[in-house]
Amino acid sequence: MAAALHDWAQEAQRSCGGRVARAETIHLTLAFLGDVQEKFLPDLKSVSVTGERHLLPIEGSRYWPHNRIVWVGPRATPSALEVLVSSLVLTLGEKGFRTESRRFSAHITLIRKARDPGTLPAVPAVSWPVAEFVLVRSRLASEGSGYEILERFPLS
């Protein structure tokens, strides 16, 4: 699935420029925490959130001019994903972690620093199988962000 989305992003880049996400870094952010001190990582690794396995359909693409990204995602967030995100944000808040206050929008950023493409190519007919979520540490580098998985949380 990541390879198909990466190929699509390379095609879309022709009309909007920008930087395409590397296939190995393609992800969907459930809750963004920003910088977290090392001493708080055990609290994050012990988060207890239950959720259901489900599919995330990739049904469309958009350009967001306010942050100059091109993304793909579902027409509507699947209810299982809405429940998972709500539960995760609530649990993180109970542990004292702050997440972004804006409403969750299921999207996978594929191109950054893009300009308005006008129209985008049709997205590939794929669905993302959601069987787990992960705690990730991101590190900025000149070639883009790098991600290290710190903990995996399986879904039922």
Side-chain angles (χ1 to χ4, degrees):
M1 192 226 33
L5 293 179
H6 183 262
D7 290 347
W8 177 89
Q10 288 183 309
E11 181 184 349
Q13 183 191 35
R14 292 184 199 124
S15 63
C16 65
R19 189 178 74 239
V20 173
R22 297 183 319 277
E24 67 273 12
T25 65
I26 291 175
H27 68 281
L28 174 105
T29 300
L30 302 180
F32 181 76
L33 297 170
D35 290 331
V36 174
Q37 293 178 23
E38 194 78 25
K39 67 182 179 181
F40 296 120
L41 290 181
D43 290 334
L44 287 173
K45 290 179 180 183
S46 69
V47 163
S48 179
V49 175
T50 57
E52 294 180 8
R53 292 174 179 239
H54 60 279
L55 291 175
L56 177 68
I58 306 303
E59 301 168 310
S61 61
R62 287 195 50 201
Y63 170 69
W64 277 344
H66 65 281
N67 52 8
R68 299 179 51 215
I69 65 168
V70 172
W71 62 269
V72 297
R75 285 186 197 99
T77 302
S79 59
L81 184 56
E82 288 277 5
V83 169
L84 175 61
V85 170
S86 295
S87 180
L88 178 60
V89 168
L90 179 65
T91 301
L92 290 169
E94 289 170 349
K95 288 185 168 272
F97 294 99
R98 288 175 130 11
T99 59
E100 292 180 307
S101 59
R102 65 182 165 192
R103 186 175 179 280
F104 176 73
S105 175
H107 69 282
I108 302 163
T109 301
L110 294 177
I111 305 174
R112 296 186 183 281
K113 298 184 179 176
R115 60 185 179 276
D116 190 341
T119 59
L120 290 163
V123 295
V126 296
S127 289
W128 184 316
V130 181
E132 68 177 358
F133 68 97
V134 295
L135 173 62
V136 174
R137 174 185 296 163
S138 72
R139 300 192 190 276
L140 295 178
S142 60
E143 64 276 0
S145 295
Y147 301 104
E148 173 190 4
I149 295 176
L150 302 177
E151 194 69 40
R152 293 181 179 277
F153 303 89
L155 301 174
S156 55

